[in-house]
Amino acid sequence: MVRVSAIVVAAGSGTRFGTAKQFATLRGSRLVDIAVDAAHQSCDEVVVVLPADVEWDGAPVAASVRGGAERSDSVRAGLAAVAPDTEIVVVHDAARPLASSQVFDAVIGAVRDGADGAVPGVPVSDTIKRVDGDRVVETVDRASLVAVQTPQAFRADVLRRAHASGSDATDDAALVESVGGTVVVVPGEPANLKVTNERDLAIAESLLSEANRS
Amino acid sequence: MVRVSAIVVAAGSGTRFGTAKQFATLRGSRLVDIAVDAAHQSCDEVVVVLPADVEWDGAPVAASVRGGAERSDSVRAGLAAVAPDTEIVVVHDAARPLASSQVFDAVIGAVRDGADGAVPGVPVSDTIKRVDGDRVVETVDRASLVAVQTPQAFRADVLRRAHASGSDATDDAALVESVGGTVVVVPGEPANLKVTNERDLAIAESLLSEANRS
């Protein structure tokens, strides 16, 4: 029985690398393959969501589906392909290759413990200001702020209900919040960056080097 | 005549590197030396603020002074040592070795153009949530948020008045805002990270490598 399903979102079409970022290579592996592998370690099945013109050629997965125009469309496409009786759905961005199995287990565990959703969060280390044009209007109190990452875990029924609301929010947790779901934050990992350009890829390389040294 | 004075804040005592971070070495140069050098390129004089037990042994500077317990104490110590008739004071963290002379010039230029203060800001790329304990209470609209960096430039009289208010805010711009000063945001640099641990230092190395390649 499938209790935990992962949706690896790899449907973006940004091509700053000459290829979509999720197919860029880190240490000889494509980001999407790293993400699928990490999801397999903590979840019972993996569904990968791809751009319309890409065939899946990585490790065996439960399903590979085409994404949509918006990220929320892609998550909905993935949701339609997970096992119907799955209990927990984990949504993970293929562009976050450094998420550990510990963080997968932490978000899944928090949902098992009763939350409708769980997201990894790290403290906001920068000073944050709210601006109007180029004028600062407020220095935001960051003590109660977290920057959130993926993987994010949700009760399957709540995530389905949230996505059925038709919103195109890019953040699944925000959708779950919007239908009244309880979302908790578990400790995220500072190294779990989102790779969006060559600079981030170089940073990911150096983080991996450091991790291997320690 | 001194029109633009820089205060390089290097008074922290964090010792995660075995040395205070501002004395860690990047490409053969200490972070504090890189910061002083960058400040010299855009400012008429540089005052460096050091831990109590450190003597300045870098490039000639207008003054080196001892910092205080809080960052604001250190900035105040620097302010007391800048030329009395300086017009603009630039405050820069020694732990940001990748700030370019363009960003120094941009914040100085914005103050010359009439702002009381100017700070570099970059868009907030992460989803930000407000939490109460581990419970998410709000997904913050990040469209109007920026993460701010140093160098930050201020009209000298306004910064002095702001610091005379005795607040211990860690952010000079927030002090200036609190006394009614107008602070504007100029485009910051994604690479201008703050080095607080070995991981950040490795990232800075890889950013420099990338910059030299392009």
Side-chain angles (χ1 to χ4, degrees):
Chain A
M1 181 179 168
V2 175
R3 296 186 178 281
V4 182
S5 303
I7 298 172
V8 172
V9 183
S13 56
T15 55
R16 297 192 219 181
F17 292 104
T19 178
K21 65 191 177 194
Q22 63 273 29
F23 302 110
T25 300
L26 180 65
R27 297 271 172 122
S29 298
R30 299 181 305 181
L31 300 188
V32 65
D33 294 316
I34 297 171
V36 166
D37 186 49
H40 267 136
Q41 289 183 39
S42 301
C43 306
D44 301 312
E45 68 168 7
V46 175
V47 170
V48 61
V49 187
L50 297 168
D53 57 347
V54 174
E55 294 292 317
W56 180 242
D57 58 356
V61 291
S64 66
V65 299
R66 287 185 176 186
E70 303 293 335
R71 185 178 184 285
S72 55
D73 297 324
S74 295
V75 174
R76 271 192 283 274
L79 263 179
V82 300
D85 60 345
T86 195
E87 294 171 357
I88 295 175
V89 174
V90 178
V91 182
H92 186 44
D93 286 337
R96 291 194 187 263
L98 271 52
S100 71
S101 59
Q102 284 84 352
V103 75
F104 274 88
D105 294 344
V107 292
I108 293 166
V111 175
R112 280 197 203 290
D113 288 346
D116 293 316
V119 301
V122 294
V124 173
S125 54
D126 294 321
T127 296
I128 303 290
K129 294 187 188 283
R130 191 174 295 283
V131 293
D132 179 9
D134 70 350
R135 169 89 189 264
V136 172
V137 293
E138 181 193 5
T139 298
V140 179
D141 174 17
R142 69 184 177 200
S144 61
L145 298 184
V146 294
V148 304
Q149 311 173 330
T150 73
Q152 303 186 347
F154 303 96
R155 275 183 48 187
D157 56 339
V158 177
L159 187 62
R160 285 196 174 99
R161 196 166 77 237
H163 272 282
S165 72
S167 165
D168 62 354
T170 57
D171 178 49
D172 297 292
L175 283 175
V176 167
E177 294 154 29
S178 74
V179 296
T182 304
V183 177
V184 299
V185 175
V186 306
E189 300 173 324
N192 180 17
L193 83 168
K194 187 166 184 171
V195 173
T196 57
N197 54 39
E198 285 284 355
R199 184 167 49 84
D200 299 327
L201 199 62
I203 290 170
E205 288 272 7
S206 78
L207 291 172
L208 280 175
S209 301
E210 192 212 354
N212 292 347
R213 274 203 307 272
S214 59
Chain B
M1 179 182 168
V2 175
R3 295 186 181 282
V4 182
S5 303
I7 298 172
V8 172
V9 183
S13 57
T15 56
R16 297 192 218 183
F17 291 105
T19 179
K21 65 192 178 195
Q22 63 273 31
F23 302 109
T25 301
L26 180 66
R27 297 270 171 120
S29 297
R30 298 181 306 180
L31 300 188
V32 66
D33 294 316
I34 297 171
V36 166
D37 186 50
H40 267 135
Q41 290 184 38
S42 300
C43 306
D44 301 312
E45 67 169 6
V46 176
V47 170
V48 60
V49 187
L50 296 169
D53 58 346
V54 174
E55 295 291 317
W56 180 241
D57 58 356
V61 291
S64 66
V65 298
R66 287 186 175 184
E70 304 293 335
R71 184 177 185 286
S72 54
D73 298 324
S74 295
V75 174
R76 271 191 284 272
L79 264 179
V82 300
D85 60 345
T86 194
E87 294 171 356
I88 295 175
V89 174
V90 178
V91 181
H92 185 45
D93 287 337
R96 291 194 187 263
L98 271 52
S100 71
S101 60
Q102 286 84 352
V103 74
F104 274 87
D105 294 344
V107 291
I108 293 166
V111 174
R112 281 198 203 289
D113 288 346
D116 294 315
V119 301
V122 294
V124 173
S125 55
D126 293 322
T127 296
I128 302 290
K129 294 186 188 283
R130 191 173 294 283
V131 293
D132 179 8
D134 69 350
R135 169 87 188 265
V136 173
V137 294
E138 181 193 4
T139 298
V140 179
D141 174 17
R142 69 184 178 202
S144 61
L145 298 184
V146 295
V148 304
Q149 310 173 332
T150 72
Q152 303 186 347
F154 303 96
R155 276 184 47 188
D157 57 339
V158 177
L159 186 63
R160 285 197 174 96
R161 194 165 78 237
H163 272 282
S165 73
S167 164
D168 62 354
T170 57
D171 177 50
D172 297 292
L175 285 174
V176 167
E177 294 154 29
S178 73
V179 296
T182 304
V183 177
V184 300
V185 175
V186 306
E189 299 173 324
N192 180 17
L193 83 169
K194 186 165 184 173
V195 174
T196 58
N197 55 39
E198 285 283 355
R199 184 166 50 85
D200 300 326
L201 200 61
I203 290 170
E205 288 272 7
S206 79
L207 292 171
L208 280 174
S209 301
E210 192 212 355
N212 290 348
R213 274 202 309 271
S214 61

PDB file of all heavy atoms in Angstrom, chain A residues 153-189:
ATOM      1  N   ALA A 153       5.399  18.415   2.907  1.00  0.00           N
ATOM      2  CA  ALA A 153       4.499  17.258   3.019  1.00  0.00           C
ATOM      3  C   ALA A 153       3.105  17.725   3.415  1.00  0.00           C
ATOM      4  O   ALA A 153       2.956  18.699   4.173  1.00  0.00           O
ATOM      5  CB  ALA A 153       5.024  16.258   4.053  1.00  0.00           C
ATOM      6  N   PHE A 154       2.102  17.011   2.905  1.00  0.00           N
ATOM      7  CA  PHE A 154       0.704  17.378   3.172  1.00  0.00           C
ATOM      8  C   PHE A 154      -0.145  16.128   3.324  1.00  0.00           C
ATOM      9  O   PHE A 154       0.146  15.095   2.698  1.00  0.00           O
ATOM     10  CB  PHE A 154       0.146  18.209   2.001  1.00  0.00           C
ATOM     11  CG  PHE A 154       0.936  19.436   1.713  1.00  0.00           C
ATOM     12  CD1 PHE A 154       1.916  19.440   0.727  1.00  0.00           C
ATOM     13  CD2 PHE A 154       0.745  20.585   2.467  1.00  0.00           C
ATOM     14  CE1 PHE A 154       2.681  20.567   0.481  1.00  0.00           C
ATOM     15  CE2 PHE A 154       1.507  21.719   2.223  1.00  0.00           C
ATOM     16  CZ  PHE A 154       2.480  21.712   1.226  1.00  0.00           C
ATOM     17  N   ARG A 155      -1.200  16.240   4.100  1.00  0.00           N
ATOM     18  CA  ARG A 155      -2.233  15.201   4.052  1.00  0.00           C
ATOM     19  C   ARG A 155      -2.813  15.221   2.642  1.00  0.00           C
ATOM     20  O   ARG A 155      -3.185  16.277   2.118  1.00  0.00           O
ATOM     21  CB  ARG A 155      -3.337  15.506   5.069  1.00  0.00           C
ATOM     22  CG  ARG A 155      -3.034  14.996   6.467  1.00  0.00           C
ATOM     23  CD  ARG A 155      -4.173  15.258   7.409  1.00  0.00           C
ATOM     24  NE  ARG A 155      -5.471  14.866   6.847  1.00  0.00           N
ATOM     25  CZ  ARG A 155      -6.628  15.126   7.430  1.00  0.00           C
ATOM     26  NH1 ARG A 155      -6.659  15.789   8.584  1.00  0.00           N
ATOM     27  NH2 ARG A 155      -7.753  14.736   6.870  1.00  0.00           N
ATOM     28  N   ALA A 156      -2.894  14.057   2.034  1.00  0.00           N
ATOM     29  CA  ALA A 156      -3.286  13.998   0.619  1.00  0.00           C
ATOM     30  C   ALA A 156      -4.647  14.637   0.385  1.00  0.00           C
ATOM     31  O   ALA A 156      -4.837  15.400  -0.580  1.00  0.00           O
ATOM     32  CB  ALA A 156      -3.282  12.541   0.135  1.00  0.00           C
ATOM     33  N   ASP A 157      -5.610  14.356   1.271  1.00  0.00           N
ATOM     34  CA  ASP A 157      -6.957  14.893   1.039  1.00  0.00           C
ATOM     35  C   ASP A 157      -6.978  16.414   1.145  1.00  0.00           C
ATOM     36  O   ASP A 157      -7.662  17.101   0.375  1.00  0.00           O
ATOM     37  CB  ASP A 157      -7.978  14.243   2.002  1.00  0.00           C
ATOM     38  CG  ASP A 157      -7.600  14.411   3.467  1.00  0.00           C
ATOM     39  OD1 ASP A 157      -6.396  14.655   3.770  1.00  0.00           O
ATOM     40  OD2 ASP A 157      -8.493  14.305   4.331  1.00  0.00           O
ATOM     41  N   VAL A 158      -6.196  16.941   2.064  1.00  0.00           N
ATOM     42  CA  VAL A 158      -6.168  18.403   2.230  1.00  0.00           C
ATOM     43  C   VAL A 158      -5.480  19.059   1.042  1.00  0.00           C
ATOM     44  O   VAL A 158      -5.942  20.093   0.526  1.00  0.00           O
ATOM     45  CB  VAL A 158      -5.464  18.786   3.558  1.00  0.00           C
ATOM     46  CG1 VAL A 158      -5.373  20.298   3.693  1.00  0.00           C
ATOM     47  CG2 VAL A 158      -6.203  18.184   4.747  1.00  0.00           C
ATOM     48  N   LEU A 159      -4.392  18.463   0.557  1.00  0.00           N
ATOM     49  CA  LEU A 159      -3.708  19.053  -0.599  1.00  0.00           C
ATOM     50  C   LEU A 159      -4.610  19.001  -1.822  1.00  0.00           C
ATOM     51  O   LEU A 159      -4.664  19.959  -2.610  1.00  0.00           O
ATOM     52  CB  LEU A 159      -2.386  18.324  -0.870  1.00  0.00           C
ATOM     53  CG  LEU A 159      -1.512  18.973  -1.965  1.00  0.00           C
ATOM     54  CD1 LEU A 159      -1.098  20.397  -1.575  1.00  0.00           C
ATOM     55  CD2 LEU A 159      -0.276  18.127  -2.254  1.00  0.00           C
ATOM     56  N   ARG A 160      -5.339  17.889  -1.995  1.00  0.00           N
ATOM     57  CA  ARG A 160      -6.265  17.811  -3.126  1.00  0.00           C
ATOM     58  C   ARG A 160      -7.344  18.889  -3.024  1.00  0.00           C
ATOM     59  O   ARG A 160      -7.675  19.550  -4.007  1.00  0.00           O
ATOM     60  CB  ARG A 160      -6.930  16.421  -3.166  1.00  0.00           C
ATOM     61  CG  ARG A 160      -6.002  15.319  -3.676  1.00  0.00           C
ATOM     62  CD  ARG A 160      -6.809  14.073  -4.070  1.00  0.00           C
ATOM     63  NE  ARG A 160      -5.936  13.075  -4.676  1.00  0.00           N
ATOM     64  CZ  ARG A 160      -5.431  12.029  -4.017  1.00  0.00           C
ATOM     65  NH1 ARG A 160      -5.711  11.838  -2.739  1.00  0.00           N
ATOM     66  NH2 ARG A 160      -4.640  11.175  -4.639  1.00  0.00           N
ATOM     67  N   ARG A 161      -7.881  19.065  -1.818  1.00  0.00           N
ATOM     68  CA  ARG A 161      -8.920  20.077  -1.635  1.00  0.00           C
ATOM     69  C   ARG A 161      -8.347  21.469  -1.922  1.00  0.00           C
ATOM     70  O   ARG A 161      -8.994  22.306  -2.571  1.00  0.00           O
ATOM     71  CB  ARG A 161      -9.458  20.001  -0.198  1.00  0.00           C
ATOM     72  CG  ARG A 161     -10.764  20.720   0.006  1.00  0.00           C
ATOM     73  CD  ARG A 161     -11.414  20.330   1.334  1.00  0.00           C
ATOM     74  NE  ARG A 161     -10.800  20.962   2.478  1.00  0.00           N
ATOM     75  CZ  ARG A 161     -10.281  20.309   3.528  1.00  0.00           C
ATOM     76  NH1 ARG A 161     -10.292  18.984   3.579  1.00  0.00           N
ATOM     77  NH2 ARG A 161      -9.760  20.970   4.540  1.00  0.00           N
ATOM     78  N   ALA A 162      -7.130  21.696  -1.447  1.00  0.00           N
ATOM     79  CA  ALA A 162      -6.509  23.008  -1.651  1.00  0.00           C
ATOM     80  C   ALA A 162      -6.313  23.285  -3.135  1.00  0.00           C
ATOM     81  O   ALA A 162      -6.603  24.386  -3.620  1.00  0.00           O
ATOM     82  CB  ALA A 162      -5.176  23.071  -0.910  1.00  0.00           C
ATOM     83  N   HIS A 163      -5.829  22.290  -3.862  1.00  0.00           N
ATOM     84  CA  HIS A 163      -5.586  22.511  -5.287  1.00  0.00           C
ATOM     85  C   HIS A 163      -6.889  22.586  -6.082  1.00  0.00           C
ATOM     86  O   HIS A 163      -6.928  23.201  -7.143  1.00  0.00           O
ATOM     87  CB  HIS A 163      -4.651  21.438  -5.849  1.00  0.00           C
ATOM     88  CG  HIS A 163      -3.207  21.815  -5.704  1.00  0.00           C
ATOM     89  ND1 HIS A 163      -2.591  22.712  -6.539  1.00  0.00           N
ATOM     90  CD2 HIS A 163      -2.276  21.455  -4.798  1.00  0.00           C
ATOM     91  CE1 HIS A 163      -1.335  22.870  -6.168  1.00  0.00           C
ATOM     92  NE2 HIS A 163      -1.109  22.117  -5.106  1.00  0.00           N
ATOM     93  N   ALA A 164      -7.936  21.966  -5.571  1.00  0.00           N
ATOM     94  CA  ALA A 164      -9.223  22.040  -6.255  1.00  0.00           C
ATOM     95  C   ALA A 164      -9.800  23.453  -6.200  1.00  0.00           C
ATOM     96  O   ALA A 164     -10.682  23.805  -6.975  1.00  0.00           O
ATOM     97  CB  ALA A 164     -10.213  21.046  -5.641  1.00  0.00           C
ATOM     98  N   SER A 165      -9.260  24.277  -5.290  1.00  0.00           N
ATOM     99  CA  SER A 165      -9.779  25.639  -5.156  1.00  0.00           C
ATOM    100  C   SER A 165      -9.418  26.492  -6.365  1.00  0.00           C
ATOM    101  O   SER A 165      -9.934  27.583  -6.549  1.00  0.00           O
ATOM    102  CB  SER A 165      -9.237  26.285  -3.876  1.00  0.00           C
ATOM    103  OG  SER A 165      -7.855  26.600  -4.025  1.00  0.00           O
ATOM    104  N   GLY A 166      -8.482  25.985  -7.186  1.00  0.00           N
ATOM    105  CA  GLY A 166      -8.196  26.657  -8.449  1.00  0.00           C
ATOM    106  C   GLY A 166      -7.239  27.826  -8.357  1.00  0.00           C
ATOM    107  O   GLY A 166      -6.982  28.494  -9.346  1.00  0.00           O
ATOM    108  N   SER A 167      -6.699  28.073  -7.174  1.00  0.00           N
ATOM    109  CA  SER A 167      -5.741  29.170  -7.052  1.00  0.00           C
ATOM    110  C   SER A 167      -4.459  28.831  -7.799  1.00  0.00           C
ATOM    111  O   SER A 167      -4.118  27.663  -7.976  1.00  0.00           O
ATOM    112  CB  SER A 167      -5.422  29.412  -5.573  1.00  0.00           C
ATOM    113  OG  SER A 167      -4.259  30.205  -5.445  1.00  0.00           O
ATOM    114  N   ASP A 168      -3.753  29.853  -8.247  1.00  0.00           N
ATOM    115  CA  ASP A 168      -2.482  29.580  -8.912  1.00  0.00           C
ATOM    116  C   ASP A 168      -1.297  30.015  -8.052  1.00  0.00           C
ATOM    117  O   ASP A 168      -0.233  30.336  -8.560  1.00  0.00           O
ATOM    118  CB  ASP A 168      -2.427  30.242 -10.292  1.00  0.00           C
ATOM    119  CG  ASP A 168      -2.522  31.752 -10.188  1.00  0.00           C
ATOM    120  OD1 ASP A 168      -2.735  32.253  -9.068  1.00  0.00           O
ATOM    121  OD2 ASP A 168      -2.394  32.423 -11.222  1.00  0.00           O
ATOM    122  N   ALA A 169      -1.485  30.019  -6.733  1.00  0.00           N
ATOM    123  CA  ALA A 169      -0.370  30.337  -5.847  1.00  0.00           C
ATOM    124  C   ALA A 169       0.784  29.388  -6.148  1.00  0.00           C
ATOM    125  O   ALA A 169       0.572  28.212  -6.446  1.00  0.00           O
ATOM    126  CB  ALA A 169      -0.793  30.203  -4.388  1.00  0.00           C
ATOM    127  N   THR A 170       1.999  29.907  -6.096  1.00  0.00           N
ATOM    128  CA  THR A 170       3.150  29.058  -6.395  1.00  0.00           C
ATOM    129  C   THR A 170       3.530  28.190  -5.208  1.00  0.00           C
ATOM    130  O   THR A 170       4.353  27.309  -5.323  1.00  0.00           O
ATOM    131  CB  THR A 170       4.388  29.906  -6.762  1.00  0.00           C
ATOM    132  OG1 THR A 170       4.657  30.791  -5.676  1.00  0.00           O
ATOM    133  CG2 THR A 170       4.141  30.692  -8.028  1.00  0.00           C
ATOM    134  N   ASP A 171       2.914  28.437  -4.084  1.00  0.00           N
ATOM    135  CA  ASP A 171       3.333  27.789  -2.838  1.00  0.00           C
ATOM    136  C   ASP A 171       2.209  26.877  -2.343  1.00  0.00           C
ATOM    137  O   ASP A 171       1.122  27.338  -1.991  1.00  0.00           O
ATOM    138  CB  ASP A 171       3.627  28.900  -1.814  1.00  0.00           C
ATOM    139  CG  ASP A 171       4.023  28.364  -0.465  1.00  0.00           C
ATOM    140  OD1 ASP A 171       4.896  27.478  -0.407  1.00  0.00           O
ATOM    141  OD2 ASP A 171       3.436  28.815   0.533  1.00  0.00           O
ATOM    142  N   ASP A 172       2.481  25.570  -2.346  1.00  0.00           N
ATOM    143  CA  ASP A 172       1.449  24.611  -1.936  1.00  0.00           C
ATOM    144  C   ASP A 172       0.985  24.850  -0.506  1.00  0.00           C
ATOM    145  O   ASP A 172      -0.200  24.733  -0.201  1.00  0.00           O
ATOM    146  CB  ASP A 172       1.992  23.182  -2.066  1.00  0.00           C
ATOM    147  CG  ASP A 172       2.318  22.854  -3.508  1.00  0.00           C
ATOM    148  OD1 ASP A 172       1.384  22.752  -4.312  1.00  0.00           O
ATOM    149  OD2 ASP A 172       3.519  22.747  -3.834  1.00  0.00           O
ATOM    150  N   ALA A 173       1.931  25.193   0.352  1.00  0.00           N
ATOM    151  CA  ALA A 173       1.550  25.416   1.745  1.00  0.00           C
ATOM    152  C   ALA A 173       0.566  26.582   1.846  1.00  0.00           C
ATOM    153  O   ALA A 173      -0.399  26.531   2.620  1.00  0.00           O
ATOM    154  CB  ALA A 173       2.791  25.674   2.599  1.00  0.00           C
ATOM    155  N   ALA A 174       0.787  27.621   1.051  1.00  0.00           N
ATOM    156  CA  ALA A 174      -0.135  28.766   1.085  1.00  0.00           C
ATOM    157  C   ALA A 174      -1.528  28.338   0.646  1.00  0.00           C
ATOM    158  O   ALA A 174      -2.540  28.817   1.186  1.00  0.00           O
ATOM    159  CB  ALA A 174       0.399  29.899   0.202  1.00  0.00           C
ATOM    160  N   LEU A 175      -1.604  27.437  -0.325  1.00  0.00           N
ATOM    161  CA  LEU A 175      -2.900  26.925  -0.756  1.00  0.00           C
ATOM    162  C   LEU A 175      -3.580  26.190   0.390  1.00  0.00           C
ATOM    163  O   LEU A 175      -4.783  26.351   0.629  1.00  0.00           O
ATOM    164  CB  LEU A 175      -2.720  25.967  -1.935  1.00  0.00           C
ATOM    165  CG  LEU A 175      -2.453  26.597  -3.303  1.00  0.00           C
ATOM    166  CD1 LEU A 175      -2.172  25.511  -4.329  1.00  0.00           C
ATOM    167  CD2 LEU A 175      -3.638  27.429  -3.725  1.00  0.00           C
ATOM    168  N   VAL A 176      -2.808  25.357   1.081  1.00  0.00           N
ATOM    169  CA  VAL A 176      -3.373  24.595   2.203  1.00  0.00           C
ATOM    170  C   VAL A 176      -3.813  25.543   3.316  1.00  0.00           C
ATOM    171  O   VAL A 176      -4.881  25.383   3.913  1.00  0.00           O
ATOM    172  CB  VAL A 176      -2.354  23.546   2.689  1.00  0.00           C
ATOM    173  CG1 VAL A 176      -2.760  22.963   4.039  1.00  0.00           C
ATOM    174  CG2 VAL A 176      -2.206  22.439   1.643  1.00  0.00           C
ATOM    175  N   GLU A 177      -2.996  26.569   3.565  1.00  0.00           N
ATOM    176  CA  GLU A 177      -3.393  27.577   4.559  1.00  0.00           C
ATOM    177  C   GLU A 177      -4.712  28.249   4.140  1.00  0.00           C
ATOM    178  O   GLU A 177      -5.575  28.519   4.977  1.00  0.00           O
ATOM    179  CB  GLU A 177      -2.296  28.649   4.712  1.00  0.00           C
ATOM    180  CG  GLU A 177      -0.982  28.130   5.294  1.00  0.00           C
ATOM    181  CD  GLU A 177       0.219  28.972   4.855  1.00  0.00           C
ATOM    182  OE1 GLU A 177       0.058  30.177   4.597  1.00  0.00           O
ATOM    183  OE2 GLU A 177       1.322  28.411   4.748  1.00  0.00           O
ATOM    184  N   SER A 178      -4.835  28.495   2.840  1.00  0.00           N
ATOM    185  CA  SER A 178      -6.003  29.248   2.368  1.00  0.00           C
ATOM    186  C   SER A 178      -7.303  28.465   2.522  1.00  0.00           C
ATOM    187  O   SER A 178      -8.380  29.052   2.538  1.00  0.00           O
ATOM    188  CB  SER A 178      -5.817  29.668   0.908  1.00  0.00           C
ATOM    189  OG  SER A 178      -5.967  28.551   0.044  1.00  0.00           O
ATOM    190  N   VAL A 179      -7.216  27.126   2.633  1.00  0.00           N
ATOM    191  CA  VAL A 179      -8.438  26.355   2.878  1.00  0.00           C
ATOM    192  C   VAL A 179      -8.536  25.960   4.360  1.00  0.00           C
ATOM    193  O   VAL A 179      -9.281  25.047   4.718  1.00  0.00           O
ATOM    194  CB  VAL A 179      -8.517  25.097   1.971  1.00  0.00           C
ATOM    195  CG1 VAL A 179      -8.606  25.517   0.511  1.00  0.00           C
ATOM    196  CG2 VAL A 179      -7.356  24.129   2.197  1.00  0.00           C
ATOM    197  N   GLY A 180      -7.763  26.651   5.199  1.00  0.00           N
ATOM    198  CA  GLY A 180      -7.897  26.437   6.637  1.00  0.00           C
ATOM    199  C   GLY A 180      -7.020  25.340   7.212  1.00  0.00           C
ATOM    200  O   GLY A 180      -7.135  24.998   8.393  1.00  0.00           O
ATOM    201  N   GLY A 181      -6.135  24.798   6.403  1.00  0.00           N
ATOM    202  CA  GLY A 181      -5.257  23.741   6.897  1.00  0.00           C
ATOM    203  C   GLY A 181      -4.190  24.270   7.841  1.00  0.00           C
ATOM    204  O   GLY A 181      -3.785  25.427   7.747  1.00  0.00           O
ATOM    205  N   THR A 182      -3.768  23.403   8.753  1.00  0.00           N
ATOM    206  CA  THR A 182      -2.713  23.746   9.700  1.00  0.00           C
ATOM    207  C   THR A 182      -1.369  23.358   9.104  1.00  0.00           C
ATOM    208  O   THR A 182      -1.148  22.188   8.782  1.00  0.00           O
ATOM    209  CB  THR A 182      -2.889  22.958  11.010  1.00  0.00           C
ATOM    210  OG1 THR A 182      -4.182  23.225  11.524  1.00  0.00           O
ATOM    211  CG2 THR A 182      -1.820  23.348  12.025  1.00  0.00           C
ATOM    212  N   VAL A 183      -0.478  24.330   8.950  1.00  0.00           N
ATOM    213  CA  VAL A 183       0.853  24.054   8.409  1.00  0.00           C
ATOM    214  C   VAL A 183       1.887  24.363   9.482  1.00  0.00           C
ATOM    215  O   VAL A 183       1.834  25.422  10.108  1.00  0.00           O
ATOM    216  CB  VAL A 183       1.125  24.890   7.138  1.00  0.00           C
ATOM    217  CG1 VAL A 183       2.547  24.652   6.620  1.00  0.00           C
ATOM    218  CG2 VAL A 183       0.106  24.558   6.056  1.00  0.00           C
ATOM    219  N   VAL A 184       2.794  23.420   9.698  1.00  0.00           N
ATOM    220  CA  VAL A 184       3.856  23.633  10.684  1.00  0.00           C
ATOM    221  C   VAL A 184       5.196  23.721   9.966  1.00  0.00           C
ATOM    222  O   VAL A 184       5.350  23.276   8.828  1.00  0.00           O
ATOM    223  CB  VAL A 184       3.901  22.515  11.749  1.00  0.00           C
ATOM    224  CG1 VAL A 184       2.585  22.455  12.515  1.00  0.00           C
ATOM    225  CG2 VAL A 184       4.256  21.178  11.127  1.00  0.00           C
ATOM    226  N   VAL A 185       6.142  24.320  10.658  1.00  0.00           N
ATOM    227  CA  VAL A 185       7.490  24.484  10.119  1.00  0.00           C
ATOM    228  C   VAL A 185       8.442  23.559  10.873  1.00  0.00           C
ATOM    229  O   VAL A 185       8.428  23.535  12.107  1.00  0.00           O
ATOM    230  CB  VAL A 185       7.959  25.946  10.254  1.00  0.00           C
ATOM    231  CG1 VAL A 185       9.409  26.102   9.803  1.00  0.00           C
ATOM    232  CG2 VAL A 185       7.065  26.865   9.436  1.00  0.00           C
ATOM    233  N   VAL A 186       9.219  22.794  10.138  1.00  0.00           N
ATOM    234  CA  VAL A 186      10.283  21.986  10.743  1.00  0.00           C
ATOM    235  C   VAL A 186      11.615  22.622  10.354  1.00  0.00           C
ATOM    236  O   VAL A 186      11.682  23.386   9.386  1.00  0.00           O
ATOM    237  CB  VAL A 186      10.218  20.512  10.273  1.00  0.00           C
ATOM    238  CG1 VAL A 186       8.831  19.911  10.520  1.00  0.00           C
ATOM    239  CG2 VAL A 186      10.605  20.383   8.802  1.00  0.00           C
ATOM    240  N   PRO A 187      12.675  22.332  11.098  1.00  0.00           N
ATOM    241  CA  PRO A 187      13.950  22.973  10.768  1.00  0.00           C
ATOM    242  C   PRO A 187      14.414  22.622   9.352  1.00  0.00           C
ATOM    243  O   PRO A 187      14.536  21.452   8.998  1.00  0.00           O
ATOM    244  CB  PRO A 187      14.918  22.413  11.818  1.00  0.00           C
ATOM    245  CG  PRO A 187      14.029  22.044  12.972  1.00  0.00           C
ATOM    246  CD  PRO A 187      12.774  21.524  12.331  1.00  0.00           C
ATOM    247  N   GLY A 188      14.634  23.627   8.538  1.00  0.00           N
ATOM    248  CA  GLY A 188      15.177  23.428   7.207  1.00  0.00           C
ATOM    249  C   GLY A 188      16.694  23.369   7.260  1.00  0.00           C
ATOM    250  O   GLY A 188      17.298  23.368   8.339  1.00  0.00           O
ATOM    251  N   GLU A 189      17.283  23.317   6.084  1.00  0.00           N
ATOM    252  CA  GLU A 189      18.735  23.179   5.996  1.00  0.00           C
ATOM    253  C   GLU A 189      19.297  24.350   5.210  1.00  0.00           C
ATOM    254  O   GLU A 189      18.915  24.566   4.049  1.00  0.00           O
ATOM    255  CB  GLU A 189      19.064  21.855   5.307  1.00  0.00           C
ATOM    256  CG  GLU A 189      18.507  20.671   6.085  1.00  0.00           C
ATOM    257  CD  GLU A 189      18.655  19.335   5.360  1.00  0.00           C
ATOM    258  OE1 GLU A 189      18.522  19.312   4.116  1.00  0.00           O
ATOM    259  OE2 GLU A 189      18.899  18.336   6.061  1.00  0.00           O
TER     260      GLU A 189
END
